Amino acid sequence: QVQLVESGGGLVQPGGSLRLSCAASEFTVDEYAVAWFRQAPGKEREGISCRSSTDGSTYYASSVKGRFTISRDNAKSTVYMEMNSLKPEDTAVYYCAARLGRCANIGGVPIGVAYNIWGQGTQVTVSS
């Protein structure tokens, strides 16, 4: 079954770091663009980053640029999101999603409807 499984979420203090993982099952991430989205309670889903399969281009929303880094390990068919300098406003459920080929963005921000494979999400809570 084609699927994505996120892991690595948890509770962290402001200023701390977490690394989220997005593992692909029954397909290889090197052929797919993989994006990260998040949704905080009472808010709309927000696209935050994407890495294209074709040339490895990466994109970040302004809210996370300079603090979050997306990377890929083809051997493990896994995409990572390294999150540093976390803030309380980063609290959300984080999802990864995939689509063949390049990232689908507007203004560098991934568009959710363009991605057809989704994970179940992992909770990130930033609080003291």
Side-chain angles (χ1 to χ4, degrees), residues 41-56:
K43 294 189 176 181
E44 293 186 354
R45 185 176 60 196
E46 175 190 15
I48 58 173
S49 183
C50 186
R51 191 184 193 284
S52 281
S53 67
T54 51
D55 58 4

Side-chain angles (χ1 to χ4, degrees), residues 14-15 18 22 28 30 34-35 41 46 48 52 58 70 74 81 83 86 94-95 100 104-106 114 116 121 127:
L18 279 176
C22 172
T28 54
D30 59 338
V34 178
E46 175 190 15
I48 58 173
S52 281
T58 56
I70 190 170
N74 287 342
M81 176 64 77
M83 306 187 298
L86 284 163
Y94 284 70
Y95 301 89
L100 277 172
N105 303 324
I106 293 179
N116 59 318
S127 175

Side-chain angles (χ1 to χ4, degrees), residues 68-116:
F68 290 13
T69 303
I70 190 170
S71 62
R72 185 179 73 194
D73 185 333
N74 287 342
K76 296 182 179 180
S77 204
T78 299
V79 173
Y80 303 97
M81 176 64 77
E82 185 76 34
M83 306 187 298
N84 298 314
S85 301
L86 284 163
K87 305 174 183 180
E89 52 263 43
D90 293 318
T91 296
V93 178
Y94 284 70
Y95 301 89
C96 61
R99 67 188 303 271
L100 277 172
R102 298 180 178 179
C103 293
N105 303 324
I106 293 179
V109 176
I111 310 165
V113 295
Y115 296 79
N116 59 318

